[in-house]
Amino acid sequence: MTEESNVQFSEREALLFHSEGRPGKIEIIASKPMATQRDLALAYSPGVAVPVLAIAADPSLAYDYTAKGNLVAVISNGTAILGLGNLGALASKPVMEGKAVLFKRFADVDSIDIELKTEDVDRFIDAVELMEPSFGGINLEDIKSPECFVIEQTLRERMNIPVFHDDQHGTAIIAAAGLINALFLTGRDIKTTKIVMNGAGAAAIACAELIKAMGLPTENLLMCDRKGVIWRGRDHVNQWQSAHAVETDKRTLTEALAGADVFMGLSAAGAVSQDMVRGMAPRPIIFAMANPDPEISPPDAKAARPDAIIATGRSDYPNQVNNVLGFPFIFRGALDVRATTINEAMKVAAAEALAALARERVPEEVAVAYGVRHSFGPDYIIPAPFDPRLMEIVPVAVAKAAMDSGVATKPILDLEAYRQQLRARLNPTTSVLTLAYDGARAHPKRVLFAEGEEEVVLRAAIAFKGDGYGTPVLVGREDVRDRLRALGVSDPESYEVHNSRNSPLVPKMVDFLYKRLQRRGYLRRDCERMINQDRNIFGAVLLQLGEADAMITGVTRPYAQTMREVRRVIDPVAGRTAFGIHLMVGKAHTVFMADTTVNERPSAEELADIAEQTAQVARRMGHEPRVAFLSYSTFGNPAGQWLENIRAAVGVLDKRGVQFEYEGEMAPDVALNPRQLANYPFARLSGPANVLVLPGLQSANISAKLLRELGGDAVIGPMLVGMEKSVQIAPMTSTASELVTLAVLAAGGIAR
């Protein structure tokens, strides 16, 4: 897989991630109710006999009555694990589980990992072939060359479902997309372009085959391995490499690159020198895709040839050739038309769709996160990996190519309707959160961790710094750096630590706090004591004085107590209500609940303000807000004495003329269940609400905590909104990952 990230973490953190809670990264969840005896009778015996007989009579019905049509097997024997080599089938399991997670995360494809304990090609082929009834597609992964060629080709011939070796074709498709755009920008025609391919393994051969299928003449590609150019008649060349041998008098990579238009590297770090790059044609195209370090670094290549267009497999340089742009969406399209294979036409269609997407205007959230321009150019020839449009563009192109080439057994008649279905399959929140992480890395901020003596906080600070999201500013005593060292930090002195016992800022901080509180009954010595003894107040004053851009606290004290301490130093934005939002994030939905933390009995004006600000947060998270003011009563039934504030809040929004849907008062089932909502045709919501404004803190806080403990959705928050400085109060039970998420949201301005 040609993909590399600049995210950093310790070995301990990686092991904890994989072991804490339920070991591993995947689980099986029933998609039908299993609560009653009747449910079980329908699911298994005797009800299961009905679909069994139907499938026996018509095998195609397996796609209607089982999960086969959305199920892909990720299969490996562990002979070529990432950049680690042949470590065996069992050692490959974490990678294969990870691939299964990516299928689900990016394209809503269910996937299961299968590790086969054999290096015998025939036994491997037989084992996979026998599993055809179980799966809608096979993704081969981390199998060494040349065995991978034999395995994939044989399985494609024997099986009637898509078989795809991602290490070969995933890299080829993404690289081809970038090449299409690089050729366009440099005014080249693929039929006359001279390309040098350094590397002769699985990915390189797949790249060569695909770009030839796109129109590159055979004689225009020179393939090199460790021994130099693969020329016609050379010894020690296997049958797949010999297919790309040409008549040439060039024997070395240096000779091959002289005057070449394009370099495509899938070889090893440092294989290309600056002198080699200088010898290439004007406006050279350099795809240095070696993993983890490229054949030549982009800064070195640019220094040698400022006119070059450069791509790598790394996320910390422009134009990342990342397989995750391809395989989830290619399988999505193939599965949805029940394709019998993934052919060259489908691969070319995927590459062309990716290239076309990169030429479109970049969405604002992607542009901010990746720091890219709003139109494609030399530093943006490949779409960003988390562009939300990938899900609806690539599968459509692949599905259409499958239909046009005759390998689709269930054609899609309305491609526009299909595009809408694809858009609905995934929750935009997940993309926005990922973009927020990338945005934090592109625009790092200083985030103050007020409880810097707690291990969970230190682990979050280590991750925040190591992943490049910004600079952690720690509040703690003398032993903070010792604690960092105990957690495996080799350079604890590089961490900024503020200690109230010796900070030179203390006099200035006391002055600030005393000026703020002196007319609220506080003496100067009270302010000195708070600065010296209360980490939340000390941290909040540092934030007010500009020593950080945002602040995270909350793991050592109850939320209300922490909020009181923060409010002594930081006020809500003038004219706005401060409040908390819990996000309930499901596979295809997000619900924003407010106010879950601050206002006990909000007035009508405060409820309206909470609704308006939460709608703004929802929009920043990629959702069109539909606000429901919740109650036990729906439009006055039953009548009650606590409804006036809710009804008045709707009237306040009417007067403000806000640009989002809202309605109330209404019960939760009416707000969330379309069938219940249909009983009120006059209601102003076009669909289920995604912003729930609760009438008071008691109901809101209880609901949020119950859903956190009992619900099936992931929970983010509470996020504190409406304060004049970016401060977040985390739950006392927060994990390090949850603290990092809040820190990123606080630094990026999503929670503001």
Side-chain angles (χ1 to χ4, degrees), residues 219-238:
E219 63 273 12
N220 283 20
L221 185 141
L222 293 180
M223 180 173 285
C224 303
D225 62 8
R226 293 185 182 90
K227 297 180 180 179
V229 176
I230 298 176
W231 46 276
R232 195 163 294 160
R234 203 191 89 175
D235 293 333
H236 307 295
V237 175
N238 65 41

Side-chain angles (χ1 to χ4, degrees), residues 572-638:
V573 174
R576 290 174 58 179
T577 302
F579 64 97
I581 303 174
H582 273 82
L583 278 68
M584 307 298 169
V585 183
K587 184 187 76 173
H589 70 273
T590 295
V591 174
F592 302 79
M593 296 178 61
D595 164 29
T596 55
T597 59
V598 179
N599 301 285
E600 186 171 4
R601 297 291 297 174
S603 66
E605 287 285 343
E606 288 172 329
L607 286 169
D609 198 36
I610 289 167
E612 193 166 359
Q613 291 187 68
T614 308
Q616 292 171 3
V617 172
R619 281 205 170 111
R620 289 195 290 271
M621 299 292 285
H623 298 266
E624 188 56 35
R626 293 185 297 275
V627 177
F629 289 90
L630 295 189
S631 171
Y632 61 86
S633 171
T634 299
F635 303 123
N637 186 14

Side-chain angles (χ1 to χ4, degrees), residues 397-436:
V398 171
K400 185 176 185 304
M403 292 186 289
D404 292 345
S405 60
V407 299
T409 62
K410 186 186 177 184
I412 295 172
L413 301 179
D414 188 341
L415 287 176
E416 184 54 38
Y418 175 50
R419 187 189 297 268
Q420 298 298 324
Q421 292 169 10
L422 290 169
R423 186 180 299 146
R425 290 190 83 112
L426 292 182
N427 188 343
T429 299
T430 55
S431 291
V432 172
L433 286 173
T434 303
L435 291 171

Side-chain angles (χ1 to χ4, degrees), residues 30 40 52 58 60 105 120 135 160 169 173 191-192 199 233 244 270 279 366 453 481 531 561 565 611 626 697 738 749:
L40 296 176
V52 166
D58 180 359
S60 69
R105 160 64 180 81
D120 184 292
F135 300 101
N160 206 37
H169 309 298
I173 289 165
K191 293 182 173 61
T192 59
H244 301 285
V366 177
E453 295 168 353
R481 290 191 173 90
I531 291 292
Q561 180 181 349
E565 292 161 355
R626 293 185 297 275
L697 185 58
E738 289 168 337

Side-chain angles (χ1 to χ4, degrees), residues 65 105 128 146 203 211 217 250 253 305 340 429 450 471 541 583 656 722 728 736:
Y65 299 137
R105 160 64 180 81
V128 177
I211 58 179
K250 297 183 177 183
L253 177 60
R305 290 297 298 270
T340 57
T429 299
T471 300
V541 174
L583 278 68
R656 292 183 184 180
Q728 291 300 320

Side-chain angles (χ1 to χ4, degrees), residues 276-322:
M276 292 181 188
V277 171
R278 292 188 187 99
M280 294 179 69
R283 301 197 72 188
I285 299 167
I286 300 169
F287 279 39
M289 299 177 285
N291 183 10
D293 297 312
E295 286 81 358
I296 182 170
S297 72
D300 287 347
K302 276 290 186 184
R305 290 297 298 270
D307 60 339
I309 294 177
I310 304 168
T312 71
R314 296 182 63 94
S315 63
D316 47 349
Y317 294 118
N319 301 324
Q320 183 191 16
V321 179
N322 189 333

